Amino acid sequence: MSSQVAMPNLGRMAALMNMAITRLVAGLLAVAPVLADTSEQAKKSTEYTVLSYHDVVDLTRTPDLEIYPQTITRDRLIQQFNLIDDLGYTPVSLQDILDAEAGKGSLPPNPVLLTFDDGYSSVYDIVLPLLELYDYPAVVGPVGSWLAVPEGGEVPYGQTSLPRERFLSWAQLRELQASPLVEIATHTYDLHKGVIGNPQGNEQPAAGTPQWSESGYESIEAYRQRIHDDLERARDQLENKLGEAPRSVIWPYGGYSHATMDIAAELGMPHTFSLLARPNKLGQGTDDINRYLIDQETSLETFEEYLGGRIWHPADERVIHVDLDYVYDDDPAQQAENLGKLLDKVKAQDISTVYLQAFADEDGNGVAESLYFPNDHLPMRADLFNRVAWQLKKRAGVSVYAWMPVMAFDLGDDYTYVSDARLGNPSPERYRRLSPFVERNRQVIADIYKDLGYYAKFDGLLFHDDGLLSDFEDASPAALAWYQDKWGLPGSVDAIRQDDDLMARWTQRKTEFLIDFTHQLVDEVGRYRMYDTTALYTARNVYAPVVLNPDSEQWFAQELEAFSRAYDYTAVMAMPYMEGAEDADAWLKNIAEVAIARVDPDSLVFELQAQDWRDQTPVPSEKLAHWMRTIREAGINQYGYYPYDFHNDHPDAEVLRREFSLGTTLRKTP
């Protein structure tokens, strides 16, 4: 844009004088929200906040300029810069943070780092003079392929294109680099785009997505090479043009994985920036620095919340537990219709979360015989999980947890399964589970979880209720050897059961072992799973007797307190009919009160039953709504139900709405 070319020095000095006056006037606008006591916002120097900006427009100069998402006006930016100063926050550089991380210095009180993505020319024309006026440091991250477009050309920008002049020239970028206030990062070379991420054609961020084509998905090796080549090209381009290689990467759309961070570090760029909306703490490293995304719709009140490391969240978890088997159909048209119906009905319920089945359970026995994502060990019933999860996230606006077994995978008779000491074989009354004490089994399950993370986009993991070992399990030869060699116990279940102390030790070790194993599976998922605006959350099902009777830990190798420490949420199977309760209301009230007495209620999600499995009839919607009110009055504010039969509109969303819908209820969280 000709109106945004570089100003001569005299013009810039005049502009700085004008901006000084502007700051005084604009500062008056920021006084009102500042009058409140700000002591709660004061941050220790062990924490820092990072803000993510994009394009900045001056409507007095370019009133007809087309505005795109994440754009902010110059006036609003000045208001925010004033607020940073007035609230006692101190902008710092990336080097300041690195020095503090290395123990070479300390951060000032309430530190904040400013970043500007994409490399718009407004960073030079509008932002740099403001940085100089306020003496604020910043990190600027241009896109390499956009910089490579010749003058007068068009830059591909989503579904459209923009004039090359809308972005920084190399001369402007060199002047930015010469400023002691600016550090140049890379926003990758050509990963600021979407790629086809599944057979249904969903476009997903290029940095965190294996590309799909008619010949299939790119391999992990090809994916890693693509990311490596792009980051290497971006690094070399900046080094050749500016004389200095960048040391940090700003991930487009905030999409990245642990694998991409490792590749960036190998190429000399160990510091990377995400869009996880949370504060950063010294000591946690700088390989994935969290940022708050700022745009024109960010109010000054919300901006102040971001500075203080707080953000508005839905007040509580409201969960629908969905069988993907209900969406799947052999007929693609019917399957698409099923998905559309699910999306509409989930969105209409104003909830926070869907626990979505990622494995196929055609016979309803709770064991995975096939999966809904590509993998190397089980048949794929359909490549469906990624599609449904992505659509739920983007169209229904909910978080999606992949509901997965811990051990209940049927891989055929060549594998070793959990054995009952009384039978010498797997118990027909329990899930068929791979013995977790066999290295081959653990590796296969880890591979399955790695594939889940590679091929799908989701926000959390729900570990299925198959993660149990009874007081007679596991009695397989591998398990008995483990007890003896690893835990110093007798290599016999019968011998262990004859001694109360040995029994207690065995139970505790099994409980811890299964928790540790699920943590390993989380790590496997996290290797390639794309982070965008959320971290990877975890939840695990727990049986009701474990809550009501601590002695029952030995029946399941589960403990409520241990789960509360190990996972973000413990999903309590609060299903009175399944537990044979004579008085469902009294039973629900009791389990709620007992659970709250044992652990923090914010760590609990109660799953109610929408089906009475005793006679295979639906629980009336009015009854389910009543149960929700019962547990809420007892102190449980996070709950959901299973199953959801959206084909038959059960349960009825309108009947549940008053007890279930979150609406616009929000709360501040630290």
Side-chain angles (χ1 to χ4, degrees), residues 37 42-43 92 103 108 217 269-270 356 423 428 433 456 460 485 500 517 596 634-635:
D37 178 15
K43 296 171 67 66
V92 296
Y217 290 94
M269 297 175 288
L356 182 65
L423 305 173
R433 289 150 291 149
D485 298 340
D500 289 344
F517 183 50
I596 291 172

Side-chain angles (χ1 to χ4, degrees), residues 521-597:
L521 299 179
V522 171
D523 291 341
E524 290 295 333
V525 162
R527 187 181 305 180
Y528 291 103
R529 176 254 182 192
M530 189 186 79
Y531 291 72
D532 43 22
T533 58
T534 62
L536 179 61
Y537 294 98
T538 57
R540 185 170 167 191
N541 279 134
V542 67
Y543 289 99
V546 175
V547 177
L548 293 170
N549 179 10
D551 292 338
S552 68
E553 178 185 354
Q554 66 182 15
W555 308 338
F556 301 97
Q558 298 180 353
E559 188 204 25
L560 183 61
E561 287 81 359
F563 279 24
S564 180
R565 294 189 298 268
Y567 309 104
D568 294 298
Y569 299 104
T570 301
V572 178
M573 299 164 63
M575 302 179 177
Y577 294 162
M578 189 170 74
E579 298 299 330
E582 294 183 4
D583 185 335
D585 287 8
W587 186 89
L588 285 167
K589 184 174 184 293
N590 181 49
I591 192 173
E593 291 174 348
V594 171
I596 291 172

Side-chain angles (χ1 to χ4, degrees), residues 121-345:
S121 58
S122 61
V123 175
Y124 178 83
D125 296 329
I126 299 175
V127 176
L128 180 59
L130 289 172
L131 296 177
E132 293 172 343
L133 175 65
Y134 286 81
D135 195 29
Y136 286 177
V139 174
V140 175
V143 179
S145 61
W146 297 356
L147 291 172
V149 174
E151 184 178 349
E154 293 286 317
V155 171
Y157 192 82
Q159 302 302 316
T160 184
S161 62
L162 294 178
R164 174 64 178 83
E165 290 70 29
R166 190 82 181 257
F167 298 90
L168 291 165
S169 69
W170 283 109
Q172 291 171 334
L173 198 58
R174 291 188 189 97
E175 190 168 341
L176 283 169
Q177 185 197 33
S179 169
L181 293 172
V182 177
E183 174 165 340
I184 305 300
T186 179
H187 207 22
T188 75
Y189 187 84
D190 194 29
L191 298 177
H192 198 292
K193 62 184 181 182
V195 297
I196 301 302
N198 54 42
Q200 296 85 2
N202 286 120
E203 281 201 359
Q204 298 170 334
T209 302
Q211 295 185 101
W212 184 89
S213 67
E214 291 297 333
S215 59
Y217 290 94
E218 66 180 335
S219 66
I220 287 179
E221 293 74 19
Y223 164 76
R224 292 181 62 93
Q225 190 65 51
R226 173 167 62 88
I227 302 303
H228 177 278
D229 292 350
D230 184 278
L231 294 180
E232 184 177 50
R233 187 175 184 183
R235 180 200 65 186
D236 293 349
Q237 178 196 44
L238 291 176
E239 185 174 23
N240 292 335
K241 292 288 189 177
L242 302 180
E244 184 177 357
R247 56 180 177 174
S248 57
V249 178
I250 297 175
W251 301 114
Y253 316 109
Y256 70 103
S257 67
H258 289 170
T260 64
M261 291 191 301
D262 291 343
I263 293 169
E266 292 168 5
L267 293 169
M269 297 175 288
H271 320 297
T272 78
F273 294 88
S274 73
L275 285 176
L276 299 183
R278 56 177 60 179
N280 300 277
K281 294 183 179 181
L282 292 179
Q284 292 183 341
T286 55
D287 56 349
D288 57 346
I289 300 172
N290 307 314
R291 300 187 298 164
Y292 294 93
L293 181 60
I294 307 297
D295 59 23
Q296 188 66 12
E297 302 304 315
T298 304
S299 68
L300 291 179
E301 180 184 17
T302 300
F303 186 77
E304 184 177 344
E305 294 291 331
Y306 290 170
L307 289 174
R310 295 186 304 278
I311 188 172
W312 295 96
H313 284 295
D316 296 299
E317 286 285 294
R318 293 287 190 274
V319 181
I320 297 176
H321 200 150
V322 174
D323 284 304
L324 198 49
D325 293 332
Y326 285 19
V327 177
Y328 171 80
D329 197 278
D330 289 331
D331 179 0
Q334 183 60 55
Q335 183 170 277
E337 182 179 332
N338 294 345
L339 174 56
K341 183 183 294 186
L342 173 67
L343 295 173
D344 290 342
K345 292 183 179 298

Side-chain angles (χ1 to χ4, degrees), residues 630-647:
T630 298
I631 62 173
R632 195 175 65 250
E633 290 174 352
I636 298 295
N637 293 314
Q638 303 188 128
Y639 48 83
Y641 62 83
Y642 173 80
Y644 180 35
D645 183 1
F646 59 89
H647 291 292

